[in-house]
Amino acid sequence: MKLQASYPTPEHQTAADAIVDHFVSNYKIDAVMLVNSCARGKATRDSCLDIVVLARPDGSRSPLSTLEAGWQEFERSNQAVKALYKAGRYSVVHPDFLDGVFVPEEQEEAAGPDGFELGVGNLLAYGVPLWEGSDYLAQLKGQWLPYYSEDLRQKRLERVRWFCLNNLHHIPLYIERGLYFQSFDRLYNAYQEFLQALFIARRTYPIAYNKWIHEQVAEILGLPELYEQLTHLFEIRKFESAEIADKAREVEDLLDKYAPHPNAAA
């Protein structure tokens, strides 16, 4: 994948340049990153501008809370940002202020995948530096790329599989009670957890679990046959039926085939 700053309109680029200049001139930071669609050449006029300001968590850098407060004032007053907001229907700035510390968080039992791999990948694997003032970004890439440690990977795969199977195994019980919408909610969460497990199994960082699925599965992972199966996963002829339970079994089969338990894969 070729990564470079690719702006869909002059307003996107002018706003990005203004944001970089603002944070470099007024705060002690380590890097400014362009992430998501504009970093991968996928943005359109209506796309938002996703910017990450990186500052290591020590006393030599501006606190994240200070950076965020500074952004709020800058957003209200800067003409380049205001022009971007008029360029497209949803062309706004989505800023993030990060310290580069990545730690898996506690996950709710039925809430779908957590954002651990997404956070690491979109910043370090798929992000484009717009400015660097130190070697901190390089240090983070050395720590997390091409992937995190094998010990953590096996623990993460086992954990994500548990959440996926837990969602899937609740579905027949909900079907029996006529809770079809809740069953579908569990199915969709399990599908996203399958994607999370799939990327962990292949030691590759994902971009998202709810969009860019063809790009990720068919192109990045090189699994076009799996993508074809995923496109039919939510084709349900009769919603109030056992079809959702049948789909749950399909997801479980895919999980065992493409992201087996780490002990089974050993």
Side-chain angles (χ1 to χ4, degrees), residues 17 20 41 49 53 78 82 86 89 95 102 107 110 124 143 158 160 167 201 217 223 226 228 236 248:
D17 292 343
V20 172
L49 178 65
V53 179
N78 184 263
K82 291 181 179 180
K86 297 177 181 178
R89 293 186 64 185
F102 300 102
Q107 185 175 346
L124 302 180
Q143 178 182 357
E158 184 174 2
V160 171
N167 271 317
V217 176
L223 296 171
L226 172 58
E228 289 302 317
I236 298 173

Side-chain angles (χ1 to χ4, degrees), residues 5-19:
S6 179
Y7 301 104
T9 71
E11 289 84 0
H12 282 78
Q13 180 164 4
T14 302
D17 292 343
I19 292 168

Side-chain angles (χ1 to χ4, degrees), residues 1 40 42 126 191 195 198-199 204 206-232:
M1 179 188 298
R40 303 195 332 276
K42 303 290 185 178
Y126 303 117
Y191 148 76
L195 290 179
L198 173 70
F199 275 85
T204 303
I207 295 169
Y209 303 127
N210 61 350
K211 57 184 177 180
W212 307 115
I213 304 304
H214 184 273
E215 177 186 356
Q216 296 180 86
V217 176
E219 299 174 20
I220 293 177
L221 295 183
L223 296 171
E225 75 286 353
L226 172 58
Y227 176 77
E228 289 302 317
Q229 295 179 73
L230 296 179
T231 61
H232 301 294

Side-chain angles (χ1 to χ4, degrees), residues 171-188 236 238-245:
I171 290 173
L173 306 178
Y174 291 144
I175 294 290
E176 291 177 1
R177 299 167 60 189
L179 300 174
Y180 300 104
F181 285 93
Q182 190 169 16
S183 298
F184 187 83
D185 182 64
R186 290 274 189 163
L187 177 66
Y188 189 69
I236 298 173
K238 183 174 175 56
F239 192 77
E240 292 188 339
S241 72
E243 280 191 68
I244 298 176

Side-chain angles (χ1 to χ4, degrees), residues 154-171:
Q154 292 197 21
K155 291 177 180 177
R156 289 286 297 169
L157 180 56
E158 184 174 2
R159 174 184 173 85
V160 171
R161 278 180 51 88
W162 184 91
F163 279 102
C164 180
L165 292 170
N166 178 65
N167 271 317
L168 294 173
H169 294 168
H170 274 77
I171 290 173

Side-chain angles (χ1 to χ4, degrees), residues 112-159:
D114 65 10
F116 179 64
E117 286 80 17
L118 296 177
V120 177
N122 279 304
L123 179 67
L124 302 180
Y126 303 117
V128 174
L130 299 179
W131 177 87
E132 291 182 72
S134 74
D135 65 350
Y136 185 50
L137 179 61
Q139 291 179 31
L140 292 176
K141 288 184 175 183
Q143 178 182 357
W144 293 99
L145 299 182
Y147 206 66
Y148 51 67
S149 71
E150 181 61 15
D151 179 64
L152 178 58
R153 190 193 72 86
Q154 292 197 21
K155 291 177 180 177
R156 289 286 297 169
L157 180 56
E158 184 174 2
R159 174 184 173 85

